[in-house]
Amino acid sequence: MESKENIEIHEGLSGIYIDISSICKVDGINGKLYYRGYPIQVLAERSSFEEVCYLLLYGRLPKKQELDDFSEKLKKERSITDQTKQIITSLGRKAQALDVLRTVMSSISAYDETPYSSEESKNIEKAIRIISKTATMAAAIGRIKKGEQILEPDQSLGHAENFLFMLTGKKPDKDAAKLIDVMFILHAEHSSNASTFATLVTCSTLADIYAGVTAGVAALKGPLHGGADEAALKMMIEIGQPENTEKYIEDALAGKKKIMGFGHRVYKTYDPRARILKSYLDIVKNKSTEDIKRLIDISLRAEKMMIEKLGQSHGIWPNVDFFSGPLYMYLGIEPEMFDTVFASSRTVGWCSHVIEYWKNNKLFRPLEEYQGPLDVEYVGIEERN
Ligand code: CMC
C-alpha cells in the first residue's frame, strides 16, 4: 500500500473552482442568481428566452434589431430531418424520453460538415442550431410517447411557446406562454453544475460541441440533477391528499430518505428560482383541475414542513425542482418529459460555457489517490484456484 500524506480529497469536487467565468453567478448564501450580472428575477419578469439566450451567448443584451435577427435564426433552425424523426419514432415508445433525446442529440452532428470549430462565431451558429433543434426533438419525443403525430413548428410563436405547442398540439394562452418562457429562462443556466461540467470535460478534449451537449444530456438524467422534479412530483402523487403530507415527510425523514426538490450543493438558503416558481402557483391554481390543485396544496404543506425541519438548521431549502412538477402538469407536460424540458432550456448554458472555456482551453485531468497493492504477482489462469 502506498499513500502520500497531506492529500486533500475533494469529494464531488465540492468547493473547487475550475475556472473564472463571466456567465453566471450563483450566490448560495444570499439566495441570488445572476446571468451576466442581471438578477434572475428581472430576467424572468421582463425578458424572453430568446433574449436570455443572446445574453448568455454574446455576453450582453441585444438591441431590438439584433434580437429580431437572433430570433429569426432560431426559427430557421427549428426543423429536424426525416432521419431524426425516424430515430425518435423507432426508439420513442420504448426508451425513456431523455435517453431518446441523448441519442438524437448525438446524431445531429452528422448534419454539420464541420462539427468542430475553433471559431467563436461558428460555434455560436452551432449553439443556435442545437438550442432550436433540441426543443423540436424533445417535443417530437413527447408526441411519439403519447402515440401522436410529430407536429411541425408554428413560426408565429416564440421559442418556448412553440415548444409547448409542438408537444401538446395546443397553442398556449397568454399565461401558459409566459409560464413556459419563464421556466425555460430559469433552467437556461446554472454555472458549473454536473451536466455543464460534463459538457466542459468532454469539450476540453477539443471534441465538438455536439459531443459536449450529448454528455450534458447524459449527466442530466439522474435524480440528483435533472430527474429531481419528476421524483418530487411522484412523491406528491404518492402523498395523495394534502392532509397526508406531514406524516409522509415525517416518515421519510425518519427513514433517512431524501426529499427530492430540496437541498443544493451551493444554495444553503431558498433557491431564487424556486421562489419565482412558487409565485406562479396562485395564478395556476385558479385555472387548474382538482388534481393539480391538490398537488399544489401538497407542495405548499411539504415546503412549510421541510423549512421548519431542515431549513435554518441544515440549510436544506426548496430548489428549482420542487414546484416545477405541478406547474409542468398545468402546462400539459407529462412527468416523463420534465428532464427533456430541462435539457431543452439548458442547451444554451452548456454551449455558452463551452464557447467561453475554449478561449483558454485546458484539458481536464484531475488526480485520484491510488490506494491498493503494487507489484502484485501475476498468476496464470490455469494455476489460479
Ligand atoms: N432531503 C433530506 N435530506 C437531505 C436532502 C433532502 N433533499 N438533501 C440533503 N440532505 C441531507 C443528506 O441526507 C445528508 O445528511 P447526513 O449528513 O445526515 O447524511 C446531508 O443533507 C448532506 O447531503 P449531501 O447529499 O451530501 O449534500 P450535497 O451538498 O451533495 O447535496 C444534493 C446536494 C442536491 C445532491 C442534495 O441536496 C439532494 O440529493 N437533494 C435532492 C435531489 C434534488 O433535489 N436535486 C436537484 C438539485 S437542484 C437542480 C440541479 O442543479 O440539478
Side-chain angles (χ1 to χ4, degrees), residues 223-225 228 258-265 310 316 319 321:
L224 298 187
H225 191 15
K258 278 185 173 176
I259 307 297
M260 296 292 133
F262 285 86
H264 199 273
R265 180 65 62 75
L310 299 177
I316 295 171
N319 62 49
D321 289 321

Side-chain angles (χ1 to χ4, degrees), residues 161 164 170-180 287 330-331:
E161 58 177 339
L164 197 56
K170 281 188 243 142
K171 280 196 192 181
D173 65 17
K174 210 163 139 267
D175 285 346
K178 176 66 186 168
L179 178 56
I180 188 68
K287 298 168 93 180
Y330 165 76
L331 292 172

